[in-house]
Amino acid sequence: MADQYKVDLTDPNFNSQLVTMGVTGSIHYAPHGTPAPKGMEEYPAPWVNMGWLSEEGISEAISRESNSFTPWQTNSPVRDAASSEEFTFNGTLWTIGGLATAMRYGIHEDDMEFVSDGEYVEFIQGKELPEEFRFALAFDIIDGSKHRRFVLPNASVSDPGDVTYNKDGLVGYPMTWRANFDQEAGYSVLRRFKEGWRPGQAGVDKSLEAAKVRDLGDWSDASLSAAGTGDTGASGGSTRTGGNTGGTAGVDQ
């Protein structure tokens, strides 16, 4: 009789290092045509961090449409061909300064006016149909030493979302960004993963696995107490090399 199958939790893909959370992260903006940052390095100018995001963080979606072909002789399709693929990212901006406001309302900085005597900014909407602005965006998702970076060279706002003003929460700009194909870059989304795994390998890299596990150190060394040096004080507490122990015995001056 064949042995019954059991789940082996020692298999490489059960390694806890492969479990990831979106602990923190950021969104960076740059004008259209700005090159992607190198690797996982810091962002050079003109990339700028868009600031605080709501506690929901960042979400992404992939929408695919396809055509299936079912022959006369069967009721099931024998071929399926993708017809479109769309990548979108969502988040709520809590830093609602000039850049976030320009992005939410679709207004170029040249169409905004700063009124110096009243120290406010004004612009108009509704006179003409809004333009579709294109720009570069980069999303970073970080969990300790694990890091994901998604770069959109030709992003646009597909849904600016509704803004709510009340005393129960912060004012935020919910946004949905679409990753459009960029002819110069040759792609819609560039994805980078720094999480310990490699293409074609199960589990995580062995050279990284041990380094990611941290404990409190080896506390088994008893040489200090075995040496028996130093006055432990009247109450048998630990010896200090200087200052006042705060006890009744103290140490020699």
Side-chain angles (χ1 to χ4, degrees):
M1 181 178 179
D3 294 336
Q4 183 177 357
Y5 168 74
K6 295 181 180 179
V7 177
D8 184 1
L9 299 182
T10 64
D11 281 349
N13 282 331
F14 285 103
N15 192 306
S16 62
Q17 296 299 328
L18 294 173
V19 179
T20 299
M21 297 178 63
V23 176
T24 187
S26 64
I27 303 176
H28 280 74
Y29 162 91
H32 183 266
T34 302
K38 294 182 179 180
M40 299 298 201
E41 298 178 7
E42 294 288 339
Y43 289 86
W47 288 96
V48 58
N49 197 321
M50 298 200 66
W52 296 113
L53 303 171
S54 70
E55 65 267 26
E56 287 85 3
I58 300 168
S59 62
E60 64 163 306
I62 301 176
S63 176
R64 294 190 179 101
E65 293 185 2
S66 61
N67 297 319
S68 60
F69 302 92
T70 303
W72 180 35
Q73 293 91 344
T74 181
N75 293 327
S76 301
V78 296
R79 184 167 181 176
D80 194 83
S83 58
S84 67
E85 185 177 49
E86 184 180 71
F87 307 93
T88 55
F89 294 79
N90 297 271
T92 298
L93 304 176
W94 270 0
T95 295
I96 52 175
L99 173 57
T101 300
M103 186 176 292
R104 189 258 183 273
Y105 291 103
I107 301 294
H108 192 274
E109 61 173 313
D110 293 340
D111 296 324
M112 296 181 175
E113 179 184 359
F114 178 71
V115 182
S116 57
D117 58 353
E119 296 188 345
Y120 62 88
V121 177
E122 74 174 18
F123 55 86
I124 62 173
Q125 289 185 289
K127 182 179 179 180
E128 299 175 345
L129 291 175
E131 298 181 63
E132 183 184 35
F133 293 99
R134 299 293 180 94
F135 43 84
L137 281 182
F139 300 85
D140 288 270
I141 300 92
I142 299 172
D143 180 7
S145 61
K146 290 180 281 189
H147 186 180
R148 295 186 176 193
R149 173 170 288 178
F150 307 140
V151 181
L152 285 57
N154 193 19
S156 62
V157 176
S158 63
D159 183 6
D162 297 335
V163 178
T164 300
Y165 303 96
N166 59 39
K167 62 181 180 181
D168 296 327
L170 297 179
V171 176
Y173 291 163
M175 308 285 284
T176 298
W177 299 277
R178 181 192 297 116
N180 305 289
F181 177 77
D182 186 81
Q183 185 176 9
E184 183 174 349
Y187 56 82
S188 299
V189 185
L190 170 63
R191 299 183 185 271
R192 294 172 178 157
F193 296 80
K194 184 181 178 182
E195 298 177 351
W197 54 265
R198 296 188 181 186
Q201 296 183 5
V204 298
D205 192 310
K206 293 298 182 182
S207 64
L208 301 175
E209 184 175 1
K212 292 181 178 294
V213 178
R214 291 180 55 84
D215 53 34
L216 297 176
D218 184 355
W219 290 72
S220 63
D221 187 357
S223 59
L224 185 62
S225 59
T229 59
D231 185 5
T232 60
S235 60
S238 60
T239 301
R240 296 181 61 181
T241 58
N244 194 330
T245 62
T248 58
V251 295
D252 294 336
Q253 300 295 321

